[in-house]
Amino acid sequence: MASSTLNLCCTIEGASVEQQTAMDLLGKQFLLPDERLAAITKEFRRRMEEGLAADGKVLKMIPSFVTWRPKGNETGSYFAIDLGGTNLRVLKVTLNGKGGVTTEHQKFTLTQEAKSRTLFDFIAQCVETFLDDRNLRPTGRQPPISIGFTFSYPVQQTSINSGILVQWTKGLNVPGCVGRDVVRLLQDALLRLGLRVKVAALVNDTVGTLLSAAYNDPSSQIGIIFGTGTNAAYYENVSNVAKWKGANPASGEMVLNMEWGAFDSDDFAFLPYTPHDIKLDRKSINPRKQAYEKMISGLYLGEVARNIILWLADQRLLFDGRSSEILNAMWSIDTSYLSSAAIDNTPDLSEIQQIIEKTLNVPTSTMVDRRIFKTIAVLVGERAARLSAVGVVATLTKRLELLSKKINIGIDGSMYEHFPGFKEILAETVSHFIPEDKFKNINFSLAKDGSGIGAAIVAMLATQTQ
Ligand code: BGC
């Protein structure tokens, strides 16, 4: 859907005065003018500087120990583990030179047992299955396999292949891991299985995304995830990182994992919180954490919409005041329903009718109900895309000097790839804040599956430079 559709105003054909008043209020809360975004961006930049100066700040700006760039002509096969929120992938990545990559991967769904107790043993078993199924398990006489480990949670990195988990995000909450070195936990689990596999690199998914984009396009400077969660990584001059006490790398630069999903989580002062966001935050497993992420990423947007829907239904402004057991349950609206609703252009909004009446089990819906549902989806999506631009603009203006020539931003994640209008609104909003002659040098590219591929690339670079 083009951005013009997402920019529709909140006038609902056929709505009662009360319904329209409520929708106008939502419009005021969710449609953020550029001036508001500018103020948030200014604060975001200040928080970036704060995070570069010292540890323990709201934007963690974590040194990743990745100080190299791939040339794009590297060849060979490398392995990676990519741990997301619900799935785990084990990959064999073959670099073909000239930026070309082929992957062979196997996807595993995290079991309840893994999520609540045995995560690292589960990961090790998946690696074993992957290697055994393909007859790749190294024997006693062969050198161990080096593997890159994409771990998409905030880790205070202590070397290229070690780091302490700061906290869980995105709904995962395995006890006994916070404060521990996640590579040690994995390496021990691999050892328990007698697998000759060495974790050579620990990589955030944004760092992986950036490195995989850089393998294809040397002008890549920023890697971003707009998916279940959100975050970004970028190449920074080490001389700008006052808190860095390690040796100066030969390249003079290092990728920083910003952990930008936490923006504003300390004082809740700058983001445009509505009662619907506050309700979500309060009931989440990590209240007062990941404030920015909760407004822009896929795990949360459906729930923000559900809170709005119930607020309207409870005032008898939607579904004639009715709900359903499903709709009453937290998280019952998946963000993909909002995607489908936002692009439903059928005359009777039949896709939305299906979602309301079949998926959510609300007995009936009028055309006005469906129009309201669509507008909610659009408002929540548009706010997410415009707020996403804040992080992009703040990062770009931090390295403004780079914009005198072409730069590539590698982006992955379901919101960027699938949410209707998200990409377009993101780019358009960024263009409002970056001078035209510089904006034309920016290329936004989809770095599909970059997190896993990038981890294999980092494992390769780390092994080569040892
Ligand atoms: C995590 C980040 C990760 C992002 C995207 C956030 O919840 O804290 O480490 O990069 O999600 O997956």
Side-chain angles (χ1 to χ4, degrees):
M1 185 177 56
S3 57
S4 55
T5 322
L6 268 189
N7 281 327
L8 60 77
C9 72
C10 297
T11 305
I12 307 288
E13 191 190 329
S16 68
V17 175
E18 292 78 11
Q19 282 171 320
Q20 193 54 58
T21 309
M23 294 311 288
D24 288 344
L25 174 63
L26 286 175
K28 279 207 194 83
Q29 291 172 331
F30 280 79
L31 296 173
L32 307 170
D34 278 0
E35 304 75 66
R36 184 80 196 268
L37 295 184
I40 303 173
T41 308
K42 193 166 165 219
E43 174 66 6
F44 204 106
R45 283 282 286 110
R46 188 179 78 77
R47 295 310 198 137
M48 285 175 69
E49 295 299 338
E50 186 186 71
L52 290 173
D55 283 335
K57 300 297 176 188
V58 78
L59 287 194
K60 295 191 186 66
M61 311 296 285
I62 300 168
S64 70
F65 290 77
V66 172
T67 57
W68 334 274
R69 287 173 191 258
K71 293 192 182 67
N73 60 2
E74 293 88 348
T75 54
S77 290
Y78 303 91
F79 293 87
I81 302 165
D82 188 357
L83 176 70
T86 42
N87 292 313
L88 172 86
R89 288 186 316 150
V90 183
L91 305 91
K92 182 176 175 202
V93 177
T94 304
L95 306 176
N96 304 319
K98 297 203 184 120
V101 175
T102 44
T103 60
E104 185 180 339
H105 74 263
Q106 198 168 338
K107 202 171 178 173
F108 303 86
T109 305
L110 294 185
T111 57
Q112 265 321 318
E113 169 86 351
K115 286 191 197 169
S116 58
R117 239 164 35 86
T118 54
L119 179 66
F120 290 91
D121 285 305
F122 177 83
I123 301 175
Q125 279 153 17
C126 296
V127 174
E128 182 176 52
T129 306
F130 183 87
L131 295 177
D132 286 349
D133 284 0
R134 290 161 185 78
N135 238 336
L136 292 169
R137 183 197 272 251
T139 62
R141 273 169 290 137
Q142 289 169 314
I145 283 178
S146 290
I147 203 160
F149 180 26
T150 304
F151 187 75
S152 312
Y153 301 90
V155 160
Q156 193 60 52
Q157 203 123 0
T158 42
S159 75
I160 188 65
N161 64 347
S162 60
I164 308 296
L165 176 62
V166 181
Q167 67 183 51
W168 287 111
T169 57
K170 294 178 294 199
L172 200 61
N173 199 1
V174 189
C177 303
V178 170
R180 298 182 68 188
D181 176 358
V182 292
V183 173
R184 189 71 270 149
L185 293 172
L186 176 57
Q187 196 69 69
D188 286 350
L190 290 163
L191 269 176
R192 282 196 283 278
L193 292 180
L195 276 180
R196 293 173 54 73
V197 172
K198 178 171 167 28
V199 184
L202 172 64
V203 180
N204 185 263
D205 52 354
T206 56
V207 179
T209 300
L210 173 53
L211 269 281
S212 101
Y215 183 70
N216 282 306
D217 180 344
S219 76
S220 301
Q221 296 287 351
I222 305 176
I224 308 181
I225 302 283
F226 292 120
T228 308
T230 186
N231 187 16
Y234 74 107
Y235 277 101
E236 180 59 280
N237 292 327
V238 171
S239 57
N240 290 336
V241 190
K243 69 180 176 186
W244 174 251
K245 298 287 177 280
N248 242 342
S251 64
E253 59 178 6
M254 187 181 288
V255 175
L256 296 185
N257 164 16
M258 296 171 73
E259 285 298 334
W260 77 15
F263 172 66
D264 210 31
S265 300
D266 51 350
D267 50 12
F268 267 55
F270 279 85
L271 291 172
Y273 304 97
T274 67
H276 316 295
D277 301 295
I278 302 286
K279 186 170 165 200
L280 177 151
D281 180 63
R282 200 173 275 141
K283 297 201 165 171
S284 67
I285 60 165
N286 53 352
R288 306 294 282 190
K289 299 232 161 74
Q290 301 295 99
Y292 185 54
E293 177 162 275
K294 284 173 179 157
M295 282 192 187
I296 64 181
S297 72
L299 182 60
Y300 303 103
L301 298 191
E303 183 61 12
V304 175
R306 194 185 72 92
N307 288 342
I308 300 173
I309 287 168
L310 290 180
W311 171 72
L312 290 168
D314 291 349
Q315 301 172 76
R316 293 192 80 117
L317 300 176
L318 195 62
F319 310 146
D320 197 23
R322 276 172 297 191
S323 181
S324 70
E325 222 175 290
I326 296 180
L327 187 55
N328 286 344
M330 268 194 92
W331 310 112
S332 59
I333 297 196
D334 195 274
T335 299
S336 63
Y337 306 167
L338 305 186
S339 290
S340 309
I343 40 167
D344 186 355
N345 289 323
T346 56
D348 54 354
L349 299 177
S350 51
E351 184 67 33
I352 296 177
Q353 180 179 21
Q354 181 82 11
I355 294 170
I356 297 173
E357 297 175 20
K358 296 280 177 312
T359 314
L360 299 174
N361 211 22
V362 175
T364 55
S365 61
T366 62
M367 268 312 280
V368 171
D369 288 338
R370 293 176 218 156
R371 288 186 193 119
I372 290 179
F373 194 100
K374 176 168 176 167
T375 304
I376 293 170
V378 168
L379 285 174
V380 171
E382 165 137 358
R383 185 183 69 163
R386 285 181 52 80
L387 282 175
S388 296
V390 164
V392 177
V393 172
T395 312
L396 283 170
T397 51
K398 174 73 183 68
R399 304 289 325 266
L400 208 53
E401 78 281 3
L402 297 172
L403 290 179
S404 53
K405 43 184 209 273
K406 180 181 171 290
I407 84 156
N408 181 48
I409 305 181
I411 310 180
D412 199 6
S414 49
M415 285 303 293
Y416 187 76
E417 199 182 350
H418 301 303
F419 202 95
F422 187 94
K423 302 191 183 64
E424 292 82 1
I425 295 179
L426 172 73
E428 190 194 314
T429 310
V430 171
S431 78
H432 296 179
F433 296 94
I434 303 283
E436 209 181 320
D437 60 323
K438 298 201 162 27
F439 181 76
K440 69 174 181 4
N441 288 335
I442 306 170
N443 180 43
F444 297 87
S445 70
L446 178 69
K448 185 89 187 113
D449 295 334
S451 52
I453 297 170
I457 294 174
V458 178
M460 167 196 76
L461 294 171
T463 319
Q464 283 175 356
T465 50
Q466 263 164 19

